[in-house]
Amino acid sequence: MLGSGGREHALAWKLAQSPTLTRLFAAPGNPGIAQCAELVTLDATNHEACIRFCEENTVELVVIGPEAPLVDGLGNSLRAANIAVFGPDKAAAQLEGSKGFTKDLCARANIPTGGYIRTTSLDEATGALSKFDAPYVLKADGLAAGKGVVIAATLEEAEAALADMFGGQFGEAGAEVVIEEFLDGEEASFFALTDGETIIPFGTAQDHKRVGEGDVGPNTGGMGAYSPAPVLTPELQARAMQEILRPTVDTMRAEGMPYSGVLYLGLMLTKDGPQLIEYNCRFGDPECQVLMMRLQGDLAAIMLACAKGELASAAADFAEETALTVVMAAEGYPASAKKGGAINLGDAEAEGAKVFHAGTAIKDGQLVANGGRVLNVTATGANVTAAQEAAYVAVDAISFESGFCRRDIGWREVAREKGA
Ligand code: AMP
Ligand code: GLY
């Protein structure tokens, strides 16, 4: 397994429980992943080295956690060497790697999404703004570590943001900018596995992207999440499957870019139904952590079936209970996170909670913060209220003086549960 965050700790933790698993390597991993896998040093950008490692260790399946190696084509290189991979090829990973690619695909396949214009110069983009109303949604085309989207309240703000984007704020990723219609509604995430033909739903979640309580302040990678997301009713899931996922998977296959792996749909639940905000070609972080807490059965077997094009014979079951995760971040995140703060996990896991490691390291025998998002404190309960309570009991058992977390993860659903 490749990766080093909380998402990868959750995947490694679940893979390690798989009856079909014989040995699990992780590169580069983290101190949490080290508890369930053998850590190895491997550079994911060095495809030759990855292939050699797999051949020398008769690796049967490579699980690629983050998007960058997928967009970079590591999947192609491994498959060309006859090594099974969980994750799409380079062409299929464009669903995350290029916002413009995805919008064009939606247009060709008649998939519900906001209207858009692709632009490649500041002049063109500024001119195109007149075709939209405020708020303006501006997106750097390429990978920008989740930071490439600007929602500008006024025309002046939009023009300034476009100047920054074409001025190199996001490097190559901003050489093209997609301007998009603003969609109004509640956001939710829907996950599915596909081998290019068969699609199986793989859970729902909602996350909290803003750093501050009540969803204010700068965007982050995600400050907490819960699964399932009751707003994504079975009816809305069926619509997302039929109106968005099925045409995507069929069109990608028909156009010679079959998609294999997990598809993460960022949906806006509008009054006209679910609309696609974005695709990701990997699991969400921290959404993966709550999915893995609920997943029943053998993850290694499901992923291998997906990689081999045999998903039709696999099944994925999720426990009905709710899982909720609270991200503990290092002081200063997301602007600049303070490294090195000491962490003591105490007996946070005593009551069945699970602490996934994200940005941690061990220095002189002490667990310390080593990134922006540091820990994902995850618990389950009969509903969001109960899971939230259990997660914060675990958070309070942890000593991490230079860390912070939001205390309101799950608030929308807790309010709805109270009103029910
Ligand atoms: P993305 O990186 O595409 O997920 O965008 C980041 C965030 O911007 C999303 O989670 C939404 O909150 C918001 N967003 C993106 N596109 C739209 C849109 N067309 N309308 C409203 N909000 C959007
Ligand atoms: N939590 C949002 C993401 O993984 O993209």
Side-chain angles (χ1 to χ4, degrees):
M1 197 211 41
L2 292 170
S4 64
R7 166 182 51 211
E8 286 78 20
H9 186 189
L11 290 174
W13 173 75
K14 197 67 201 173
L15 285 170
Q17 296 168 36
S18 294
T20 55
L21 184 94
T22 46
R23 214 169 158 190
L24 180 61
F25 300 100
N30 67 31
I33 296 172
Q35 293 163 11
C36 31
E38 299 167 52
L39 300 196
V40 292
T41 309
L42 256 186
D43 174 4
T45 63
N46 184 340
H47 298 189
E48 276 306 309
C50 292
I51 293 168
R52 207 173 323 120
F53 178 85
C54 292
E55 286 174 347
E56 282 169 11
N57 294 282
T58 47
V59 169
E60 279 175 83
L61 173 70
V62 178
V63 176
I64 303 179
E67 62 277 16
L70 293 166
V71 172
D72 179 45
L74 179 59
N76 304 55
S77 301
L78 291 168
R79 286 191 181 95
N82 278 322
I83 299 160
V85 183
F86 181 81
D89 273 355
K90 187 181 175 104
Q94 287 181 93
L95 282 179
E96 175 164 2
S98 166
K99 307 254 185 212
F101 172 89
T102 297
K103 297 301 277 190
D104 286 352
L105 179 101
C106 288
R108 287 200 298 285
N110 203 16
I111 290 167
T113 189
Y116 71 103
I117 297 181
R118 298 177 73 163
T119 63
T120 51
S121 75
L122 180 56
D123 276 355
E124 190 188 357
T126 310
L129 286 176
S130 65
K131 302 202 170 68
F132 295 85
D133 299 316
Y136 300 92
V137 181
L138 316 170
K139 299 186 174 181
D141 179 70
L143 288 186
K147 300 191 177 83
V149 176
V150 175
I151 311 246
T154 65
L155 193 59
E156 293 69 43
E157 271 181 47
E159 286 172 353
L162 285 175
D164 287 344
M165 286 170 141
F166 283 107
Q169 182 187 18
F170 301 115
E172 266 300 294
E176 175 175 335
V177 173
V178 176
I179 306 179
E180 202 177 297
E181 175 192 352
F182 181 82
L183 299 171
D184 207 11
E186 185 166 341
E187 275 184 77
S189 305
F190 185 49
F191 297 86
L193 301 187
T194 177
D195 56 10
E197 190 134 15
T198 301
I199 306 173
I200 59 176
F202 209 65
T204 61
Q206 278 184 299
D207 77 347
H208 298 63
K209 288 207 168 107
R210 304 298 194 93
V211 74
E213 282 165 20
D215 295 330
V216 298
N219 256 321
T220 70
M223 294 300 291
Y226 51 93
S227 171
V231 284
L232 262 178
T233 58
E235 188 217 336
L236 288 175
Q237 289 181 51
R239 282 191 66 177
M241 186 64 120
Q242 199 186 334
E243 295 170 21
I244 302 177
L245 260 167
R246 183 39 79 190
T248 299
V249 168
D250 288 349
T251 305
M252 293 294 283
R253 189 181 61 249
E255 296 184 356
M257 302 174 276
Y259 189 99
S260 170
V262 61
L263 262 176
Y264 160 175
L265 287 71
L267 298 175
M268 191 67 87
L269 307 179
T270 71
K271 59 177 178 17
D272 303 323
Q275 303 236 11
L276 183 70
I277 300 176
E278 62 160 356
Y279 271 126
N280 292 306
C281 64
R282 35 91 193 163
F283 283 106
D285 186 348
E287 292 90 331
C288 184
Q289 290 79 316
V290 284
L291 292 179
M292 291 306 123
M293 286 294 271
R294 296 180 50 232
L295 180 66
Q296 311 288 295
D298 188 328
L299 178 64
I302 297 171
M303 287 180 150
L304 191 62
C306 183
K308 290 186 161 171
E310 297 165 359
L311 205 51
S313 61
D317 289 315
F318 288 87
E320 292 213 352
E321 63 186 0
T322 294
L324 183 142
T325 189
V326 176
V327 171
M328 297 185 81
E331 205 176 282
Y333 178 75
S336 67
K338 181 177 167 187
K339 283 193 182 175
I343 301 163
N344 187 335
L345 297 179
D347 54 5
E349 295 188 340
E351 313 236 2
K354 180 73 201 163
V355 180
F356 295 114
H357 291 231
T360 66
I362 293 177
K363 260 210 176 116
D364 304 326
Q366 169 68 51
L367 188 66
V368 298
N370 192 41
R373 295 187 293 169
V374 180
L375 301 170
N376 312 135
V377 186
T378 315
T380 55
N383 57 16
V384 179
T385 307
Q388 184 197 58
E389 215 172 278
Y392 284 113
V393 167
V395 165
D396 290 335
I398 295 171
S399 132
F400 175 22
E401 271 185 33
S402 62
F404 72 97
C405 67
R406 279 178 59 165
R407 302 288 316 187
D408 67 343
I409 299 305
W411 66 270
R412 281 172 201 279
E413 212 46 57
V414 169
R416 282 193 278 256
E417 286 172 359
K418 281 210 177 96

